[in-house]
Amino acid sequence: MKFQHTLMGMVLALFSCTNDVEVLPEIETGWSKVSAISDEVLAVYKASDERIWVGTATQGVYVYDGSNFTNYRTSQGLINNTVNAISEFSNGDMWFGTSGGLSVYDGSWTNYDQVNGSPFEVYSLLNDGQGNMWINSWGMGLFSYDENDELLWYWDANCDWCNYINTLFQDGQGNLWIGTYAGLKKRANNSFTLYTITDGLPDNVVTSVYEDSWGRMWIGTYNGEKIGMMENNKFSSMSLQSGYPVNSIMAISEDIMGNMWFGAIDYFPDTQEFNNSGIIKYDGATMRTLVDEGPGRTNTLAFLEEGNGTVWVGTAKGLYKYKY
Amino acid sequence: MKLFALTISILLYAPMWGQSKLDSLRMNTRTMDRPITVFKGELRINGGYRFDIFNNRYDGAGEKINLSAMDGKAAFQDALFMNMRYGITDFLDIEVNLLDFKKMTVRETPVDIIEDVVWEISRLTETVGNEDLLLKLNMRWPGLPRVVDVGLSPGISFPTARHGEQQPQHGYNLPQSSLGIDSPDAVYIDYHQVYKWGAGVTRSYLEGMVKWRGQNVALSGAYSAHFPLKTGKAVYWIHRLDKAHFSYRSVEYEYDWADFYALNLMAEYQAYSWLDILMGFNHRTWKNGWEGMSGEIRALPERKLANLNLGYEVIITPKMWLRQWLRFPVSGKNTMSSFVVDTKFVYSLSFK
């Protein structure tokens, strides 16, 4: 009898279910091109509702809900079809930085084409998680907008080129990093510090900033022959070893396997082949330029690492997805 | 030498001393007539060695890809195994896989990246250790005629190690000619990753088996399934290289070990009373596994592998026999495939 009970228990154990969680479908690994978007992609952003927003150079913004892409352009209410930056405000509104100003989408469109009485271009947006949206305005410094509708303007009177801002990034300590035409600025405890070539930056024109999982700050510059790195308040630089002297690092990301991704563009291609552009992957020890896989040699401007083994890559040839 | 020969003789023939007539009949059982459970009081010990040479990989569409064409990849595996069965009755035995120590080595031949510096990179991935400890009860239906045997084997396997990657042991070297030079013209990097065998979680097991016997021919079929009873946690490692020194950091993830299903079909021809010719087919499927981090989990690809097997069994003495298999892959999906040589000795003792 005891044996029968034991046997029964073992047979029943076969049917015990460990799959009581939602398992997303398996995805084939490797590269795939998103056929819906062929325009140059300038920004990729994942919103809190899991939708992927894609800013393009001439076709406005696309949103992907997991199965379909929907396109919004000026004809739908967007202020300009060149969408450089995307972010989500704390109230769930989507913000779009364009070459013609700012658009806010909450189901309907609200557009801002002037700031301080002047037209403005927005290249970067950052929600700092503390109720502030940071907005760079090309040549007009930095703005912050809070949940109480208060707009603050940060203008560097001592450094004109510091008001030309390429990129914004927030590190794990909540510090704001600002990539400018005159160096890298760090905002900590309400004060700004400027770092330049003399501090060890590879170049003063900072085009991208990223903090990796080791706590190192990576700094991409216009002179992309080397990538800058800051650790323990000390700058160093590392050769990209791409074999090409002039490429600018416009995007930096880290995947969940610890690989760093650097997106390079070629400002002055000798031919239409953009030999100085593409994706450079760093596995922690060696650099490798992806020449014959994915988008190959093309201007690479944006990364979105979803944290689940999917990287979205915005390039001059459109949007690509890499699954590993 | 004489002492060795004497020891072997005692080991082989000692169990025969003092045996009953029934024992004598059992000892002279041909391979194909052997019941699917061991006899009451019989302790049967299986031990052997298996060698795998991995030549190909099947992709998701089932296309075969030559491994050496993939960055010069080469893979092989050694395995030592031993299990024991003890007959509680003539229709019920208990079986335990005491040892299934495997070492699988995958090596990618060095890749030269020629830019300012020559980077010679090699990747070595080893999966080493003992497989899970499988404990099962083998039962056969009593009262059936000689021509047919029906059996059922429920079981459970226990993890012997934590599943996943061990801390890597990457190496960085400058060639002798570059020592002391600020900008070396070459560096060598050896990526060395080590994984443990085993699921890392307890799993249930069930197998059903049917055997039909003719005069000199027997056919048998078995279907088994292995299910995880809970999810597990494991880590993988990421690395960084600073001035020729590697640092590592682990990242934890959750996983559900894949369900495993195996179909085994076998035909036997008893050419002589001491020689059995074997031909088999097996098909294995791994599915429903997943891995995930931060609450988001992804299904692992379903894997399949089918093999054709050729083998023989020689009865060396009534208490000891040798079985050898060659396995050839015929189809698959999302898995490497290997040519296998499997050699097993079986030794039987009677405790009555």
Side-chain angles (χ1 to χ4, degrees):
Chain A
M1 195 64 182
K2 198 172 178 182
F3 166 71
Q4 286 172 334
H5 283 162
T6 306
L7 179 60
M8 185 81 75
M10 293 178 91
V11 172
L12 287 174
L14 289 169
F15 301 101
S16 58
C17 181
T18 56
N19 293 332
D20 54 351
V21 289
E22 185 195 4
V23 181
L24 299 175
E26 160 203 347
I27 293 179
E28 284 289 318
T29 57
W31 286 96
S32 59
K33 181 164 188 330
V34 177
S35 58
I37 301 173
S38 56
D39 193 20
E40 184 172 16
V41 171
L42 306 176
V44 191
Y45 184 86
K46 186 176 185 179
S48 57
D49 62 3
E50 305 286 310
R51 292 197 294 175
I52 307 291
W53 292 82
V54 183
T56 69
T58 64
Q59 296 176 1
V61 66
Y62 288 81
V63 61
Y64 178 61
D65 62 6
S67 54
N68 296 304
F69 280 90
T70 305
N71 186 212
Y72 297 100
R73 304 191 189 197
T74 51
S75 51
Q76 278 80 36
L78 187 68
I79 193 167
N80 187 286
N81 281 336
T82 302
V83 177
N84 302 308
I86 305 168
S87 191
E88 182 180 12
F89 197 41
S90 48
N91 61 3
D93 292 353
M94 293 303 302
W95 289 47
F96 304 95
T98 79
S99 294
L102 189 69
S103 281
V104 177
Y105 181 70
D106 61 358
S108 62
W109 294 92
T110 306
N111 294 327
Y112 304 90
D113 62 356
Q114 292 193 341
V115 66
N116 291 344
S118 302
F120 70 124
E121 289 182 68
V122 177
Y123 278 86
S124 190
L125 292 166
L126 178 79
N127 178 351
D128 67 6
Q130 294 157 16
N132 303 303
M133 181 68 85
W134 293 85
I135 311 146
N136 81 355
S137 174
W138 185 243
M140 297 177 69
L142 186 65
F143 296 87
S144 72
Y145 178 83
D146 69 14
E147 291 167 332
N148 300 316
D149 295 333
E150 187 176 5
L151 184 69
L152 295 177
W153 182 27
Y154 298 87
W155 171 260
D156 193 334
N158 300 318
C159 172
D160 279 351
W161 286 109
C162 291
N163 297 305
Y164 289 81
I165 295 170
N166 293 311
T167 187
L168 298 171
F169 183 82
Q170 186 180 29
D171 67 22
Q173 273 76 50
N175 304 315
L176 183 65
W177 295 80
I178 305 152
T180 80
Y181 246 61
L184 177 66
K185 289 175 89 170
K186 177 184 178 184
R187 181 180 184 271
N189 303 320
N190 293 320
S191 66
F192 290 88
T193 308
L194 178 65
Y195 301 101
T196 65
I197 284 178
T198 55
D199 297 296
L201 279 183
D203 190 65
N204 277 342
V205 181
V206 175
T207 47
S208 51
V209 183
Y210 188 85
E211 182 184 32
D212 71 12
S213 58
W214 298 90
R216 297 176 295 189
M217 299 300 302
W218 293 85
I219 302 116
T221 66
Y222 181 77
N223 172 14
E225 191 177 355
K226 290 187 173 181
I227 185 89
M229 191 179 31
M230 184 190 197
E231 186 173 26
N232 301 324
N233 290 319
K234 286 176 69 176
F235 282 96
S236 60
S237 59
M238 187 182 294
S239 170
L240 287 165
Q241 294 181 352
S242 62
Y244 301 96
V246 182
N247 42 27
S248 303
I249 304 302
M250 300 301 288
I252 307 174
S253 187
E254 181 185 22
D255 66 28
I256 56 172
M257 301 307 292
N259 298 305
M260 297 301 302
W261 294 57
F262 305 114
I265 67 165
D266 193 335
Y267 274 122
F268 306 108
D270 294 333
T271 67
Q272 286 302 305
E273 296 186 359
F274 295 93
N275 281 332
N276 300 341
S277 63
I279 299 165
I280 302 162
K281 258 174 99 170
Y282 177 62
D283 73 353
T286 54
M287 297 275 181
R288 189 166 68 92
T289 305
L290 308 188
V291 177
D292 298 320
E293 55 183 300
R297 285 286 189 194
T298 184
N299 281 351
T300 303
L301 299 118
F303 292 127
L304 170 66
E305 160 63 45
E306 279 203 75
N308 59 10
T310 303
V311 183
W312 298 80
V313 181
T315 77
K317 291 180 184 171
L319 184 65
Y320 286 78
K321 189 160 78 167
Y322 181 70
K323 179 70 193 163
Y324 55 93
Chain B
M1 191 62 192
K2 281 180 182 173
L3 183 63
F4 177 74
L6 181 64
T7 307
I8 293 295
S9 300
I10 289 171
L11 277 173
L12 294 179
Y13 291 99
M16 296 166 65
W17 300 332
Q19 285 174 340
S20 67
K21 187 180 175 187
L22 183 62
D23 288 331
S24 178
L25 284 173
R26 288 169 179 172
M27 285 192 301
N28 291 315
T29 305
R30 299 184 306 170
T31 301
M32 60 166 279
D33 291 332
R34 203 176 292 144
I36 59 177
T37 55
V38 301
F39 295 113
K40 182 181 179 183
E42 180 186 357
L43 177 67
R44 190 180 291 173
I45 304 166
N46 295 272
Y49 172 73
R50 188 170 61 246
F51 184 66
D52 292 54
I53 303 169
F54 294 86
N55 293 319
N56 297 299
R57 183 182 197 290
Y58 290 101
D59 67 12
E63 292 292 319
K64 193 158 71 173
I65 301 162
N66 188 282
L67 277 182
S68 60
M70 296 170 63
D71 300 323
K73 192 177 278 187
F76 55 89
Q77 176 175 280
D78 296 287
L80 282 171
F81 55 90
M82 186 173 86
N83 83 344
M84 294 172 78
R85 296 174 74 170
Y86 180 74
I88 299 167
T89 73
D90 279 347
F91 303 96
L92 173 69
D93 72 47
I94 185 166
E95 180 176 357
V96 57
N97 278 353
L98 287 173
L99 175 73
D100 193 358
F101 183 85
K102 295 192 286 188
K103 183 177 182 182
M104 182 178 177
T105 305
V106 181
R107 187 184 292 279
E108 289 176 64
T109 50
V111 178
D112 293 349
I113 301 173
I114 302 171
E115 287 169 352
D116 293 343
V117 177
V118 178
W119 296 81
E120 293 200 0
I121 299 168
S122 71
R123 296 180 189 278
L124 174 64
T125 306
E126 289 179 317
T127 309
V128 64
N130 208 34
E131 268 288 7
D132 293 343
L133 184 72
L134 176 63
L135 185 67
K136 60 179 179 172
L137 286 171
N138 300 306
M139 299 175 284
R140 69 185 177 103
W141 200 270
L144 293 174
R146 173 195 168 272
V147 292
V148 66
D149 243 345
V150 176
L152 185 71
S153 300
I156 192 159
S157 65
F158 300 100
T160 53
R162 188 178 185 188
H163 169 69
E165 187 183 359
Q166 310 299 295
Q167 182 169 318
Q169 303 151 19
H170 303 327
Y172 174 95
N173 292 298
L174 291 174
Q176 198 68 29
S177 59
S178 293
L179 291 176
I181 299 172
D182 287 341
S183 300
D185 53 6
V187 292
Y188 302 138
I189 292 184
D190 295 313
Y191 291 110
H192 186 184
Q193 290 172 285
V194 181
Y195 296 84
K196 283 283 186 187
W197 279 110
V201 292
T202 306
R203 291 182 292 162
S204 59
Y205 178 87
L206 187 64
E207 180 179 6
M209 186 178 180
V210 179
K211 185 167 185 176
W212 171 87
R213 296 181 186 89
Q215 188 65 33
N216 290 312
V217 174
L219 302 172
S220 59
Y223 191 78
S224 62
H226 224 140
F227 300 106
L229 295 177
K230 61 178 186 176
T231 59
K233 285 187 175 171
V235 298
Y236 66 87
W237 294 80
I238 61 176
H239 63 260
R240 56 183 281 191
L241 175 64
D242 300 296
K243 295 178 181 170
H245 174 71
F246 275 101
S247 309
Y248 308 97
R249 189 160 54 78
S250 63
V251 181
E252 190 175 65
Y253 64 95
E254 194 179 4
Y255 67 92
D256 189 14
W257 195 258
D259 301 340
F260 174 69
Y261 304 89
L263 170 69
N264 289 293
L265 302 173
M266 189 167 75
E268 298 174 58
Y269 172 62
Q270 193 76 48
Y272 301 97
S273 61
W274 52 271
L275 175 65
D276 197 33
I277 308 294
L278 310 164
M279 194 167 80
F281 170 81
N282 62 36
H283 185 274
R284 289 171 283 172
T285 303
W286 298 258
K287 64 181 185 181
N288 299 328
W290 54 255
E291 289 178 354
M293 292 167 61
S294 310
E296 184 163 310
I297 56 178
R298 285 278 173 193
L300 292 172
E302 180 180 88
R303 295 190 291 139
K304 291 180 178 179
L305 186 62
N307 287 310
L308 272 180
N309 312 320
L310 288 174
Y312 65 91
E313 183 180 296
V314 174
I315 298 178
I316 302 169
T317 75
K319 286 293 179 184
M320 185 176 185
W321 53 89
L322 163 71
R323 181 174 283 215
Q324 196 162 41
W325 282 106
L326 300 178
R327 296 201 174 95
F328 307 91
V330 289
S331 70
K333 182 181 173 187
N334 288 320
T335 189
M336 289 201 297
S337 63
S338 60
F339 166 69
V340 183
V341 181
D342 185 314
T343 304
K344 179 169 78 173
F345 282 95
V346 183
Y347 188 71
S348 181
L349 289 160
S350 186
F351 293 93
K352 288 181 70 178

